Amino acid sequence: MANPLADLQNQISDTLKRYQHRVDYLAIRLEASEGTDIFLRGIQKTPHADHHIETLSEDVSLGGQVRACYKGGWGFSSFNRLSQLGDRVEEAVTAARLVGCEQTELAPIPILTDICQLPLTGTNPREIDLKQKKDLCDRYIEELLSISPRIATTSVRYSDCAKRLLIATSEGSFIDQSWIDLEMRFAATARDGETVQTGRETSGSRRGYEDMTDLDKQVKSAAERAVEALELPGVRGGTYPVVIDPILSGLFVHEAFGHLSEADMAYENPDLLEVMTLGRRFGGEDLQIFDGAAPQGHRGSYCYDDEATPATTTQLIENGVLVGRLHSRETAGRLGEAATGNARCLDYQHSPIVRMTNTWIGRGTTPVDQLCAGIEEGVYARNWLGGMTNGEMFTFSAGEAWMIRNGELGEKVRDVTLSGNVFQTLADIEAIGDDFYWDESGGCGKGGQNGLPVGCGGPSLRINNVVVGGEA
């Protein structure tokens, strides 16, 4: 990627010196990015399948943001012309002074100057031409459509992005950070009369373009599941013991528990803050939950967050007890806790807010092949189709599911949704498997900032008393 941010350190430093005396805190974040976005849609037609391009683009973006804090009040301004830097700083400073009326409380962090480029282990996707990427999408569309004539529609989305950030603060930090991110999404919808079923797969990487070129098995599996589900019986709704695979465990810990651990959620909701009291027990002695950008190689990994706070690993639950939460500098300062490096923004047009990075449940000790033992009637669910959370309540749709009969996998079923209260569900975890898997497919949404790369991980879990939606 070209370097449009070169030689800006002196200009940024001079601007900060000119204005920092008017506020308690001032930060400038500049961003240069370039990327590819391809979206193809396939339709099954007689006698031939057809597909067409919805999106085929190469994007270049350059912009910045200014954040100023004065007496606890924040001013924010964004721009996409570097020549506007001085004017935008003036705007942010003026806004902060207009709204500030309390006290600025920012948790302390190390003041550092650093250059950090997250390493690739494979080919930089920016070195691959657009036609080659489009040909890859064509291949996957053809594979989806070829599985069965009952595949009605398909879609493939490819995206890559190279991003470089400069973050400078009035305290003296200056961070130069860059990385590459890739993602592909696949969907196939099968139809038989009025019956419609969908299979989905997503894959992400920060390692190299090769990770996107060998997904044929995954792609075909999405279409095969959609076709197979047309013939499956629906699950009988009820409350069951449930065993979930590591992908669903990762989704659960991110969506159902992780968002409740973001300190701005608790800070703005006194009732939730009371529920999320440190020291409260939520699960058994073997339950460990973490979040952190420090582990390398995952989609939620980085060296510094968007406030120049060094990346950390934060243990949220230790031996079943809540021991930590995720912070920006402001939420940490307000609650008298340490900053955790979780202030993130989607791009320069958005202000950093508290976000997860890589969130995971620690590996357990129960052999995976024993998780179903002793269950007379239950459900085994793997992978995911979708889901939603509302506060402490969650509902997830499984990508595949089987009934458990007398400790063994029985017939396959469809339309399985898993619902519950996250706190009760954590308490109802009966066993934690000795397996573990990282799911790099995540794109998190919060506060209008959707698609922020994250990682999720975990082992298989056995959970009692899960509400399973299905047929009456």
Side-chain angles (χ1 to χ4, degrees):
M1 182 171 66
N3 190 359
L5 301 182
D7 303 322
L8 285 173
Q9 184 168 357
N10 290 338
Q11 179 184 348
I12 295 171
S13 297
D14 291 343
T15 304
L16 288 170
K17 290 176 182 177
R18 192 179 318 133
Y19 288 95
Q20 64 186 14
H21 68 281
R22 297 177 55 192
V23 291
D24 301 322
Y25 172 81
L26 184 61
I28 296 172
R29 178 187 182 277
L30 303 183
E31 172 186 319
S33 65
E34 60 180 44
T36 300
D37 186 21
I38 302 173
F39 182 47
L40 303 185
R41 192 179 299 279
I43 302 173
Q44 198 77 260
K45 293 182 178 180
T46 303
H48 301 293
D50 185 28
H51 55 91
H52 59 275
I53 300 170
E54 298 273 348
T55 303
L56 183 67
S57 67
E58 293 271 25
D59 301 314
V60 176
S61 175
L62 177 64
Q65 63 173 240
V66 181
R67 298 171 69 227
C69 189
Y70 179 73
K71 292 186 176 180
W74 287 92
F76 175 84
S77 183
S78 65
F79 54 94
N80 52 24
R81 293 182 182 177
L82 297 181
S83 60
Q84 299 175 332
L85 176 60
D87 292 340
R88 299 293 84 82
V89 172
E90 179 69 42
E91 286 182 354
V93 168
T94 300
R97 291 181 64 87
L98 282 173
V99 299
C101 60
E102 298 178 354
Q103 182 179 355
T104 298
E105 297 180 86
L106 302 179
I109 62 171
I111 306 305
L112 300 169
T113 296
D114 195 12
I115 299 174
C116 175
Q117 182 172 358
L118 302 189
L120 288 172
T121 58
T123 303
N124 186 336
R126 305 309 306 153
E127 298 172 358
I128 306 297
D129 65 49
L130 183 61
K131 182 181 184 303
Q132 191 171 339
K133 297 171 184 177
K134 195 262 185 183
D135 289 344
L136 178 67
C137 295
D138 284 334
R139 188 182 96 204
Y140 289 145
I141 278 281
E142 293 290 350
E143 291 180 356
L144 289 169
L145 290 167
S146 70
I147 295 300
S148 169
R150 292 196 289 179
I151 295 292
T153 61
T154 63
S155 65
V156 171
R157 166 155 257 147
Y158 169 94
S159 64
D160 65 50
C161 180
K163 184 171 287 192
R164 183 183 178 202
L165 305 175
L166 298 183
I167 304 171
T169 73
S170 56
E171 297 168 324
S173 290
F174 190 92
I175 304 300
D176 183 338
Q177 180 170 226
S178 56
W179 63 77
I180 302 286
D181 188 75
L182 303 102
E183 183 180 86
M184 291 199 77
R185 294 179 177 268
F186 314 98
T189 299
R191 182 183 296 273
D192 185 2
E194 297 298 315
T195 304
V196 177
Q197 293 290 318
T198 298
R200 303 184 193 276
E201 288 284 346
T202 305
S203 184
S205 173
R206 287 199 169 175
R207 293 181 293 268
Y209 181 73
E210 290 82 0
D211 284 358
M212 302 293 103
T213 63
D214 191 25
L215 301 175
D216 305 81
K217 183 178 179 180
Q218 200 173 332
V219 170
K220 292 176 181 177
S221 174
E224 290 167 350
R225 292 199 308 270
V227 174
E228 181 186 24
L230 293 173
E231 308 294 335
L232 295 177
V235 68
R236 177 174 56 84
T239 301
Y240 297 91
V242 169
V243 176
I244 62 174
D245 79 325
I247 293 178
L248 271 174
S249 293
L251 177 68
F252 167 74
V253 72
H254 173 95
E255 292 288 355
F257 180 76
H259 281 296
L260 296 178
S261 297
E262 294 167 338
D264 55 347
M265 303 281 284
Y267 173 68
E268 296 166 2
N269 184 339
D271 292 336
L272 178 59
L273 185 60
E274 182 177 356
V275 171
M276 297 290 286
T277 299
L278 299 183
R280 179 175 178 178
R281 176 166 294 279
F282 285 109
E285 288 286 336
D286 54 350
L287 180 63
Q288 323 291 335
I289 298 179
F290 306 84
D291 180 277
Q296 296 182 3
H298 304 296
R299 292 191 71 208
S301 303
Y302 47 76
C303 300
Y304 300 88
D305 74 359
D306 287 309
E307 292 184 322
T309 303
T312 65
T313 294
T314 302
Q315 184 152 13
L316 303 175
I317 287 186
E318 182 179 13
N319 302 330
V321 176
L322 186 69
V323 296
R325 55 180 135 242
L326 308 179
H327 282 296
S328 66
R329 293 187 63 189
E330 182 179 39
T331 61
R334 296 277 186 173
L335 294 177
E337 297 171 13
T340 59
N342 287 85
R344 305 178 67 191
C345 58
L346 183 65
D347 55 42
Y348 67 88
Q349 301 176 72
H350 299 87
S351 184
I353 56 178
V354 184
R355 305 295 298 269
M356 282 173 279
T357 57
N358 304 298
T359 313
W360 70 97
I361 298 175
R363 189 193 307 266
T365 58
T366 303
V368 175
D369 59 6
Q370 295 182 20
L371 288 175
C372 294
I375 298 178
E376 292 186 11
E377 183 181 52
V379 174
Y380 171 66
R382 67 176 301 274
N383 214 323
W384 59 275
L385 273 178
M388 61 176 293
T389 59
N390 182 9
E392 60 194 69
M393 306 303 295
F394 67 88
T395 299
F396 301 134
S397 299
E400 293 181 278
W402 292 256
M403 295 304 298
I404 301 172
R405 307 284 187 191
N406 298 316
E408 302 288 341
L409 292 188
E411 72 276 19
K412 202 169 185 180
V413 290
R414 73 181 187 199
D415 300 333
V416 171
T417 62
L418 310 176
S419 303
N421 175 286
V422 59
F423 303 120
Q424 186 60 52
T425 300
L426 290 172
D428 284 337
I429 294 175
E430 295 184 318
I432 300 176
D434 61 357
D435 56 344
F436 189 93
Y437 177 76
W438 276 108
D439 182 8
E440 307 292 351
S441 66
C444 180
K446 177 182 175 181
Q449 301 188 44
N450 299 323
L452 189 71
V454 295
C456 303
S460 299
L461 301 175
R462 172 170 163 167
I463 310 171
N464 199 21
N465 299 319
V466 177
V467 176
V468 177
E471 297 178 350

